[in-house]
Amino acid sequence: MDYLSAVDVVTNHRVLSERYTALARATGIIGIVFMVLLFGPIIALSTAGEPPLDATASEAVKYFGNIEANWAQLAIAASTLGWIGSLWFFVAFGYLLRRVEGDPPWRSTIATLSGALLAAYGLVGVSLGAASLHGGKLTRDVADFAFAFGSVGFANAWIAVASFALCSGWVILSTRALERWMGWWLIVAGLGLVPARFVWTSELWTVPYLLFWVWALVLSIRLIRRPNLLDPVES
């Protein structure tokens, strides 16, 4: 009986490990797909004369007029697929992180919810998209408010990204599930995004923000190639 129980334990462990391996590979694939769906439209929209975060009313009016075009509206619609994909990615990665953290999985839970907040910002914060529908008819005041509303919401989203980065980096460093440089990379990005919120009109925010997304891209590629990267490390 003891022998059969031991066999069952080994079998269950193998099946569970295979499921997490599949989850890790799926997480990497989701990460690549959602970043293409998200940043492709964002890059396309930036070519329409996107002004800085602290744009003037005149700049906002001109930008909304530019993205009233059909191609821009299609790009905005496509970006919603990217935001939903980001939610899939953060939830899936949260499960991987929870496995290596163990109980109580409070840091991985905070990381998952922080990532969900970023996705919520993209899906709910539609002031820019709504204003672009009637870009050529907007008054200066309405355009100014819509652009400022979107800019401040975007800046607030950096704190959600920072929360995800700091909690995830903490788990990685404390569990040794990934290389230490992967954990420190996230910590640096997270710590950089917090002060960036207080000087949000400066272009300095782009450094930690891009650091984070490059990390997510690197992680996704590595999970596809080596899906056992986030297996728990024996103490």
Side-chain angles (χ1 to χ4, degrees):
M1 192 68 178
D2 290 341
Y3 172 76
L4 292 177
S5 298
V7 170
D8 287 340
V9 169
V10 172
T11 302
N12 291 335
H13 178 76
R14 180 177 57 80
V15 171
L16 185 62
S17 180
E18 289 175 352
R19 289 177 179 176
Y20 273 104
T21 296
L23 174 61
R25 185 173 284 113
T27 302
I29 295 171
I30 291 169
I32 299 293
V33 171
F34 101 76
M35 280 184 271
V36 171
L37 290 173
L38 182 61
F39 288 103
I42 288 175
I43 293 171
L45 290 170
S46 68
T47 64
E50 183 179 10
L53 294 179
D54 57 344
T56 64
S58 298
E59 290 173 327
V61 168
K62 182 179 179 180
Y63 178 62
F64 288 132
N66 291 340
I67 61 175
E68 190 179 4
N70 288 336
W71 71 266
Q73 293 303 310
L74 290 174
I76 292 172
S79 69
T80 61
L81 299 178
W83 287 117
I84 282 292
S86 74
L87 180 63
W88 287 29
F89 173 80
F90 288 121
V91 172
F93 181 73
Y95 271 104
L96 296 174
L97 209 61
R98 178 176 179 173
R99 184 190 183 203
V100 299
E101 181 183 11
D103 291 325
W106 65 277
R107 291 168 295 180
S108 54
T109 301
I110 293 174
T112 303
L113 293 176
S114 299
L117 282 176
L118 178 63
Y121 153 76
L123 293 168
V124 179
V126 295
S127 60
L128 297 181
S132 70
L133 288 175
H134 306 287
K137 303 175 184 177
L138 293 180
T139 64
R140 288 169 52 87
D141 289 341
V142 172
D144 190 30
F145 175 78
F147 196 87
F149 190 90
S151 295
V152 174
F154 179 51
N156 286 343
W158 302 342
I159 301 302
V161 176
S163 177
F164 172 87
L166 292 172
C167 286
S168 298
W170 188 357
V171 172
I172 290 170
L173 289 174
S174 62
T175 62
R176 296 177 291 125
L178 291 173
E179 298 89 347
R180 294 184 65 83
W181 59 267
M182 287 289 284
W184 283 116
W185 186 341
L186 267 185
I187 295 294
V188 169
L191 290 177
L193 284 167
V194 174
R197 176 60 184 88
F198 295 90
V199 289
W200 65 280
T201 57
S202 167
E203 293 297 322
L204 292 175
W205 64 270
T206 58
V207 176
Y209 191 71
L210 290 177
L211 269 178
F212 170 76
W213 288 113
V214 172
W215 178 90
L217 178 61
V218 170
L219 174 71
S220 297
I221 294 172
R222 299 184 78 212
L223 287 178
I224 294 171
R225 298 183 62 184
R226 296 173 56 195
N228 63 337
L229 276 176
L230 281 167
D231 283 349
V233 177
E234 296 295 336
S235 301

